[in-house]
Structures are given as structure tokens and as C-alpha cells.
Amino acid sequence: TEKASGQGWRHGGTRLFGVATQELTKNLLGHLNLGWLRTESDRSNSTTWSVGMEGEGSLRWAADVFGDDRSRPWVSGGLLFPLADKISANLAYAQQFERPRVRQWTLGFKLEL
């Protein structure tokens, strides 16, 4: 939902995602994601996808290739750092295969309740 200034709430978009995860070897997971996204503001639909791997352990890593049906794909890699019981941080880098190159760094924190 969205709320424009001076207006009420309205439906902004719809997202539907499917995720499949499979243990490939001990401490290695594979992920496949497929999704559909509807944006009401421009009345458009898009198909999204992702293929990735994730290592399990105290210091976890992840790498994937992802994108949609409207642009070139992205490649990303990241690390998950445990900070304390039920608190972790993650650092990731992603780059899109468009010209000019779009690069993105993210830093996140997770608190498990």
C-alpha cells in the first residue's frame, strides 16, 4: 500500500514469490527463486528470478545472480557475521551488468526475537 500526501491509502503493488532451497553438500545450500511483481503506479508486471548458493557455519557467505525480465542481471556476494546471541550483521556487494555499471554496497543488522 501507498499513501500520497493529503490522500488516503491505496494499493501500490502486489508481489508473489516462490523459493526453493536444497542442501547440495554438507554446509552448502542452493537457492532458486521465481517471482511476479505488479506495480500499480505504472500498471506494469515483471518476472523476477534468482539463483544462488550459501555456505553454512559460524561465518556464513552467500553469492547469487538475480534479475528481472526488464533489465540485465545482477551478481552479488556477501558475508554474515554473528555479533551476539540472536544478533548478526551482513555486508554485501552487488553489480548490475548494465552500462553504465551500477554498484551497490549494503550493510544490514538482524535481531531475532
Side-chain angles (χ1 to χ4, degrees):
T1 56
E2 298 175 341
K3 187 172 194 283
S5 180
Q7 297 180 7
W9 291 95
R10 64 183 180 148
H11 180 74
T14 304
R15 297 177 184 177
L16 179 62
F17 296 100
V19 178
T21 298
Q22 175 70 43
E23 185 175 43
L24 302 174
T25 64
K26 184 177 168 124
N27 298 327
L28 181 64
L29 298 175
H31 302 287
L32 295 173
N33 304 333
L34 185 61
W36 172 78
L37 171 65
R38 168 73 180 175
T39 306
E40 294 300 331
S41 62
D42 60 2
R43 295 187 173 131
S44 65
N45 296 312
S46 184
T47 301
T48 62
W49 58 271
S50 174
V51 177
M53 292 194 300
E54 177 181 346
E56 293 185 322
S58 59
L59 176 64
R60 293 176 30 201
W61 61 269
D64 67 341
V65 177
F66 61 96
D68 61 37
D69 59 347
R70 296 178 180 202
S71 60
R72 297 185 115 183
W74 290 73
V75 63
S76 73
L79 295 172
L80 178 81
F81 306 89
L83 300 174
D85 187 38
K86 297 189 177 193
I87 300 173
S88 62
N90 61 71
L91 177 65
Y93 172 78
Q95 179 173 309
Q96 190 178 28
F97 293 106
E98 292 282 352
R99 293 265 186 230
R101 296 266 189 236
V102 177
R103 295 174 177 89
Q104 175 180 337
W105 284 95
T106 58
L107 175 62
F109 295 93
K110 180 178 179 182
L111 172 62
E112 296 178 35
L113 301 174

